């Protein structure tokens, strides 16, 4: 059984750390309100560095680790293609440009934040960001469902866990830490038991 790390090192195309830096810089500069929708499009659809399943697994693992999810994904992808230099290039690309932009926007907001047009612009950008995140989630779900073998109990378990996570976070408004602490051990134990039965 191949590990996730093994799957990520199976590719032969190796972009340089410079290419990794510019790809992630572009993502960071495009990703106002959230980088993940642009990261999915760039890494899966444009450059094809990851499959949809690999992206979903990397994002899931990144959410369990401390730090921003997109930076963790960048570290994984950069390390996969360029080792330590690639990982550093990915994180540098994600941080350097937005750092100066946020400083500049903070100065502008302090001066003009009370203007109605500024408040409406921020509200509009938030709505667009929410739409992009929702569209990415739908794309990822469709890609995963298209490859699923619905007779497999593992795939059925994934659907049940996704539904439970949605109910806990979206409907019951529980904190992410609580949902994670409940579902992660449950999913791990259920997956292990199903694997034991399959063997």
């Amino acid at each position: 059984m191949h590990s996730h790390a093994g799957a990520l090192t199976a590719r032969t195309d190796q972009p340089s750390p410079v290419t990794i830096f510019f790809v992630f810089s572009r993502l960071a500069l495009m990703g106002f309100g959230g980088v993940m929708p642009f990261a999915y499009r760039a890494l899966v659809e444009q450059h094809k560095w990851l499959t949809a399943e690999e992206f979903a697994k990397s994002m899931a693992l990144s959410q369990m680790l401390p730090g921003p999810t997109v930076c963790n994904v960048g570290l994984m992808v950069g390390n996969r293609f360029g080792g330590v230099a690639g990982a550093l290039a990915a994180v540098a690309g994600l941080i350097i440009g937005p750092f100066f932009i946020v400083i500049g926007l903070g100065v502008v907001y302090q001066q003009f934040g009370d203007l109605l047009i500024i408040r409406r612009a921020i509200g509009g950008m938030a709505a667009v960001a929410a739409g992009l995140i929702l569209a990415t989630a739908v794309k990822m779900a469709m890609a995963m469902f298209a490859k699923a073998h619905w007779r497999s109990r593992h795939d059925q378990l994934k659907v049940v866990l996704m539904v439970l996570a949605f109910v806990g976070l979206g409907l019951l408004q529980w904190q992410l830490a609580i949902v994670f602490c409940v579902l992660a051990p449950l999913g791990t134990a259920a997956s292990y038991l199903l694997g034991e039965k399959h063997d």
Side-chain angles (χ1 to χ4, degrees):
M1 189 172 183
H2 296 292
S3 67
H4 176 48
L8 286 182
T9 55
R11 302 291 179 78
T12 57
D13 50 331
Q14 297 291 330
S16 68
V18 174
T19 301
I20 293 171
F21 173 81
F22 282 113
V23 167
F24 279 94
S25 291
R26 185 168 178 266
L27 293 181
L29 295 176
M30 291 174 62
F32 284 91
V35 178
M36 279 305 170
F38 301 99
Y40 180 87
R41 183 178 301 173
L43 300 178
V44 177
E45 297 177 352
Q46 293 178 351
H47 298 285
K48 302 187 185 302
W49 291 351
L50 302 176
T51 65
E53 185 178 2
E54 287 172 342
F55 183 86
K57 288 180 179 179
S58 297
M59 191 171 72
L61 179 59
S62 297
Q63 289 176 326
M64 292 188 290
L65 298 173
T69 300
V70 69
C71 286
N72 292 336
V73 171
L75 280 169
M76 293 179 189
V77 175
N79 183 70
R80 169 189 174 180
F81 290 111
V84 175
L88 293 176
V91 174
L94 288 168
I95 292 176
I96 292 175
F99 172 80
F100 291 105
I101 291 175
V102 168
I103 295 297
L105 290 177
V107 172
V108 172
Y109 186 78
Q110 279 188 331
Q111 298 295 323
F112 306 105
D114 292 333
L115 296 178
L116 180 61
I117 189 171
I118 299 296
R119 293 202 301 269
R120 287 181 175 174
I122 293 173
M125 286 188 287
V128 171
L132 288 171
I133 293 171
L134 179 61
T136 301
V138 171
K139 275 187 177 181
M140 291 174 61
M142 290 176 64
M144 292 181 67
F145 289 159
K147 293 183 178 180
H149 304 286
W150 293 109
R151 293 182 181 179
S152 166
R153 291 188 176 181
H154 281 96
D155 288 326
Q156 295 169 5
L157 173 64
K158 291 176 186 177
V159 174
V160 171
L161 291 173
M162 283 192 293
V163 171
L164 290 176
F166 173 77
V167 171
L169 292 170
L171 302 182
L172 300 180
Q173 300 293 313
W174 290 354
Q175 292 184 359
L176 176 61
I178 295 175
V179 175
F180 175 78
C181 289
V182 171
L183 293 184
L186 179 64
T188 301
S191 181
Y192 176 78
L193 291 175
L194 289 175
E196 287 284 304
K197 292 180 181 179
H198 184 268
D199 294 338

